[in-house]
Amino acid sequence: MSKTDPSAAQADLFDSPTAARAETHRLFFALMPDAAIRHAIEQAAAAVQQQHPALRARWVRPERFHATLNFLGDFPAVPDQVLEKALAAANTMHAQTFAWTLDYAASFRGHEPPCVLRGSQTPTELLALWRNLQAALVATGLRLRDERQFTPHVTLAYARQELPQATPVPPIVWHVDRFVLIHNVVGKGSYQILGHWVLSG
């Protein structure tokens, strides 16, 4: 009777394309554009791509365009307690609608530097929404990473190199009237909206 090498069996288990791989479930609050703003962002991304072909980037699909507000964390499965507390915190929010103008593309540093769309001016209402939601989340007892600074942006791509300089785009005036809670299985499929909250006029 032949014997199986345990180390070889273990290697087969982890190397096999059919082997189960651990999933990462990501939860975060965000602003999601409507169809018109999504199309305008897509056009801005195409213009940046045309002007900077050397980026050799992985461009974000339009249906995934968003601006992250408050990041809740990465988990091996969706944690019910975290979800319940996040929903409870969001339900306490009272925030005003606002207009946010996106008018240039720039790069963040890092591995595969993100190419992002930003605004020259950050609305005070946007800062207040981020700050107050963070405080509400902490008040529920959630342990969040310490966010001392908020740089609102929409990620367009993950590139091989940084943009050489900020690149102006035709201004996109985004009238923000809601925020959402997103569940994302990293590397798989589309975003799942777990809740949305309308801002007051």
Side-chain angles (χ1 to χ4, degrees):
M1 183 172 60
S2 62
K3 295 182 179 180
T4 302
D5 181 354
S7 61
Q10 188 175 32
D12 288 343
L13 174 64
F14 288 102
D15 292 341
S16 170
T18 59
R21 297 182 182 276
E23 291 184 337
T24 299
H25 295 259
R26 181 166 293 167
L27 293 174
F28 59 96
F29 286 99
L31 307 178
M32 290 286 286
D34 61 20
I37 297 301
R38 188 182 307 117
H39 179 65
I41 294 172
E42 185 178 11
Q43 289 184 313
V48 173
Q49 184 176 10
Q50 186 174 19
Q51 293 179 54
H52 300 280
L55 286 178
R56 293 186 298 163
R58 294 187 295 112
W59 295 88
V60 174
R61 299 197 307 272
E63 64 270 21
R64 294 174 72 93
F65 288 150
H66 70 275
T68 299
L69 282 173
N70 304 77
F71 183 73
L72 300 180
D74 288 339
F75 310 93
V78 176
D80 290 340
Q81 190 174 35
V82 171
L83 181 57
E84 290 172 4
K85 291 181 177 181
L87 294 172
N91 287 335
T92 68
M93 296 300 296
H94 299 282
Q96 295 291 318
T97 59
F98 58 90
W100 180 26
T101 301
L102 303 167
D103 54 13
Y104 74 97
S107 290
F108 289 149
R109 294 181 178 178
H111 175 66
E112 284 193 310
C115 175
V116 303
L117 201 58
R118 297 182 59 185
S120 300
Q121 301 289 331
T122 300
T124 56
E125 298 91 343
L126 175 51
L127 292 175
L129 176 59
W130 164 73
R131 182 173 56 249
N132 294 337
L133 182 53
Q134 188 78 0
L137 291 165
V138 171
T140 67
L142 287 178
R143 294 185 178 182
L144 306 176
R145 65 186 184 190
D146 189 12
E147 298 281 3
R148 297 180 182 273
Q149 187 174 1
F150 176 49
T151 306
H153 63 276
V154 176
T155 300
L156 302 178
Y158 297 92
R160 297 287 184 89
Q161 61 186 46
E162 297 177 22
L163 284 170
Q165 69 277 326
T167 300
V169 300
I172 300 168
V173 182
W174 181 354
H175 293 281
V176 179
D177 64 356
R178 67 192 60 220
F179 67 96
V180 300
L181 176 60
I182 293 176
H183 167 229
N184 175 38
V185 181
V186 177
K188 294 185 178 180
S190 301
Y191 291 151
Q192 180 185 10
I193 307 299
L194 301 181
H196 76 274
W197 292 264
V198 176
L199 306 181
S200 58

